[in-house]
């Protein structure tokens, strides 16, 4: 059987072959397998050098200082560390976030709320965006943290981080940004964006799964409390033996993302416009989220009169997603689509298509033709 066309790059990406080649160097006896924390011999020093080189590569993509990068197991852990770590030990704390954050943020904030932390949940506009004024009017004297994502994983819309961050900085409120879907998709510069904490993931950027990073600003100095205790690794912020191969892979992936950023954006813009052009013949298709402030790779569409479940069954040759992957075990409509005001009915008629580095023009032509065909057939038998 022919493999389906992969249109779910927002769920995860395949590892770049150059990344896989790099990772293999840090596993076996003839490679650099030492513990990066071993100080007494060359095995450890070499592993440490690899980790530090990768730290520089990840820092470079977001214009950070390498000392501001803390390794984690992924963006889920980074979100938990940032939010719980910022609130820990503060009496009467209040945080502001939105209803359409990734579950790693939503569920962390819900858990804190159950512990007595005050949480303000902002509702986005129908374009999926939170406006800076909404954040500013929700601020209270006891607000310690605002957590908002840079790019939404279901809609692709982009938050105005620079404007929000500037105001929060002047008020002394910490700002956490989940940039898992933004890294490698748009330029990120923490020297121009007043962000204090930023979550990153390896596997959304053609790196391996199971590794991520949290950017923690040094100037002005941001203090968070560790959530995993042990050997005091990562300047006490996150203990545990560093997985050299994962880290080297993420570093390589981020270096490639930095070198290819402009080409990649162009490639994805081309794919997006030919995909949408291919669907023009089909009436009753609406784009969910912003069509202006967005990354090109994520295209969320609703199809009038067609259930997403039946559409997915008809589109066996395409690997796509309805709602986020983490929620796809449930039949609930996507909370993100509900969050931007879509009715249950419309949310149930939506699919997310996400394209990436290895998507070809042929695959896009095939995909849009399939969609036109299946939607037309489904509508005819209604
Ligand atoms: C994928 C994703 C995460 C979770 O990242 P993992 O590395 O899989 O834990 C968090 N936030 C956003 C926006 C994501 O897209």
């Amino acid at each position: 059987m022919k493999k389906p066309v992969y249109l779910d790059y927002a769920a995860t990406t395949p590892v770049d072959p150059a990344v896989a080649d790099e990772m293999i160097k840090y596993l076996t006896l003839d490679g650099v397998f030492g513990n990066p924390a071993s100080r007494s011999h060359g095995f450890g020093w070499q592993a440490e050098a690899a980790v530090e080189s990768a730290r520089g590569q990840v820092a470079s993509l977001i214009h950070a200082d390498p000392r501001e990068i803390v390794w984690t197991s992924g963006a889920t852990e980074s979100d938990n560390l940032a939010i719980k770590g910022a609130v820990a030990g503060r009496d009467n704390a209040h945080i502001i976030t939105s209803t359409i954050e990734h579950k790693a943020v939503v569920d962390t904030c819900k858990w804190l709320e159950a512990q007595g932390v005050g949480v303000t949940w902002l509702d986005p506009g129908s374009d999926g965006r939170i406006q800076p004024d909404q954040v500013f009017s929700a601020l209270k004297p006891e607000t310690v943290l605002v957590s908002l994502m840079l790019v939404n994983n279901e809609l692709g819309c982009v938050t105005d981080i620079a404007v929000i961050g500037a105001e929060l900085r002047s008020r002394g409120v910490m700002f956490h940004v989940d940039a898992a879907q933004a890294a490698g998709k748009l330029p990120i510069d923490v020297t121009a964006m007043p962000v204090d904490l930023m979550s990153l993931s390896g596997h959304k950027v053609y790196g391996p799964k199971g590794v991520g990073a949290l950017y923690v600003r040094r100037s002005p100095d941001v203090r968070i409390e560790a959530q995993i205790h042990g050997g005091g690794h990562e300047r006490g912020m996150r203990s545990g033996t560093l997985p050299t191969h994962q880290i080297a892979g993420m570093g390589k992936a981020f270096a490639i993302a930095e070198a290819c950023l402009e080409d990649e954006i162009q490639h994805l813009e081309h794919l997006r416009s030919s995909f949408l052009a291919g669907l023009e013949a089909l009436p009753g298709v609406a784009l969910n989220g912003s069509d202006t402030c967005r990354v090109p790779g994520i295209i969320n569409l609703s199809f009038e009169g067609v259930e997403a479940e039946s559409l997915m069954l008809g589109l066996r040759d395409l690997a796509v997603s309805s709602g986020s992957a983490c929620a796809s075990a449930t039949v609930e409509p996507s909370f993100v689509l509900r969050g931007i005001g879509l009715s249950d009915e419309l949310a149930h008629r939506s699919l997310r298509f996400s394209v990436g580095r290895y998507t070809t023009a042929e695959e896009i032509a095939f995909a849009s033709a399939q969609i036109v065909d299946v939607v037309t057939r489904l509508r005819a038998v209604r």
Side-chain angles (χ1 to χ4, degrees):
M1 204 190 81
K2 212 177 107 237
K3 264 200 214 171
V5 174
Y6 188 72
L7 297 177
D8 208 7
Y9 278 82
T12 194
T13 61
V15 164
D16 189 297
V19 168
D21 287 348
E22 185 66 21
M23 292 175 68
I24 284 261
K25 299 177 191 165
Y26 303 97
L27 291 166
T28 51
L29 179 62
D30 59 348
V32 180
F33 69 88
N35 185 330
S38 295
R39 290 284 146 79
S40 50
H41 49 69
F43 296 90
W45 305 334
Q46 281 184 312
E48 186 190 22
V51 164
E52 293 317 312
S53 158
R55 202 187 296 280
Q57 290 170 313
V58 168
S60 176
L61 182 73
I62 62 168
H63 299 262
D65 184 306
R67 291 171 299 176
E68 296 174 313
I69 300 297
V70 173
W71 299 115
T72 66
S73 63
T76 299
E77 188 191 328
S78 301
D79 288 344
N80 273 266
L81 172 57
I83 299 170
K84 292 175 188 167
V87 170
R90 307 243 192 171
D91 295 332
N92 201 21
H94 172 249
I95 56 190
I96 299 170
T97 187
S98 95
T99 54
I100 65 163
E101 297 303 303
H102 189 273
K103 282 284 187 193
V105 169
V106 169
D107 288 357
T108 300
C109 291
K110 277 189 187 162
W111 182 82
L112 285 169
E113 203 171 25
Q115 313 292 307
V117 172
V119 180
T120 298
W121 299 92
L122 301 176
D123 288 313
S126 59
D127 61 357
R129 302 183 73 221
I130 297 291
Q131 295 305 324
D133 281 343
Q134 289 178 268
V135 179
F136 307 151
S137 33
L139 286 170
K140 300 179 182 186
E142 60 272 24
T143 307
V144 296
L145 177 79
V146 173
S147 177
L148 294 171
M149 67 212 309
L150 182 43
V151 172
N152 183 274
N153 50 304
E154 288 193 40
L155 300 165
C157 50
V158 179
T159 311
D160 203 345
I161 292 306
V163 171
I164 296 170
E167 179 71 18
L168 296 182
R169 167 69 50 81
S170 75
R171 307 237 197 151
V173 174
M174 276 191 275
F175 193 18
H176 167 245
V177 170
D178 181 335
Q181 291 289 345
K185 314 283 168 31
L186 46 78
I188 301 177
D189 182 352
V190 293
T191 62
M193 286 179 179
V195 166
D196 299 302
L197 300 156
M198 181 178 278
S199 300
L200 301 166
S201 176
H203 75 101
K204 305 286 173 70
V205 196
Y206 310 94
K209 296 168 188 56
V211 64
L214 181 66
Y215 159 81
V216 183
R217 184 178 292 278
R218 281 172 67 92
S219 170
D221 195 21
V222 171
R223 299 239 163 245
I224 51 167
E225 215 151 284
Q227 301 300 305
I228 295 181
H229 303 93
H233 306 72
E234 299 299 278
R235 283 160 290 123
M237 278 184 269
R238 201 277 193 178
S239 290
T241 301
L242 295 175
T244 317
H245 62 303
Q246 303 284 85
I247 288 170
M250 180 165 170
K252 181 74 179 177
F254 273 53
I256 296 171
E258 185 173 10
C260 303
L261 185 61
E262 289 308 317
D263 291 346
E264 196 117 311
I265 292 173
Q266 264 198 15
H267 174 59
L268 299 183
E269 285 287 357
H270 274 300
L271 294 171
R272 180 191 183 90
S273 44
S274 40
F275 182 63
L276 291 174
L279 296 178
E280 252 163 30
L282 196 63
V285 180
L287 181 80
N288 296 318
S290 173
D291 193 27
T292 47
C293 297
R294 46 83 182 146
V295 292
I298 298 177
I299 307 153
N300 195 312
L301 301 173
S302 60
F303 299 89
E304 216 177 277
V306 177
E307 294 296 312
E309 295 300 310
S310 341
L311 186 51
M312 284 217 282
L313 279 177
L315 294 173
R316 280 175 205 282
D317 294 327
L318 310 181
V320 302
S321 151
S322 66
S324 70
C326 330
S328 60
T330 64
V331 286
E332 290 285 296
S334 146
F335 72 94
V336 171
L337 294 177
R338 297 286 291 112
I340 61 168
L342 257 63
S343 63
D344 273 4
E345 192 183 352
L346 212 51
H348 272 304
R349 293 179 173 172
S350 302
L351 286 182
R352 177 187 71 185
F353 304 89
S354 48
V355 296
R357 184 173 295 166
Y358 306 110
T359 310
T360 64
E362 292 72 35
E363 288 178 327
I364 285 302
F366 174 76
S368 46
Q370 285 272 304
I371 294 165
V372 171
D373 191 50
V374 174
V375 170
T376 308
R377 259 195 296 125
L378 287 172
R379 282 180 181 162
V381 299
R382 260 193 305 162

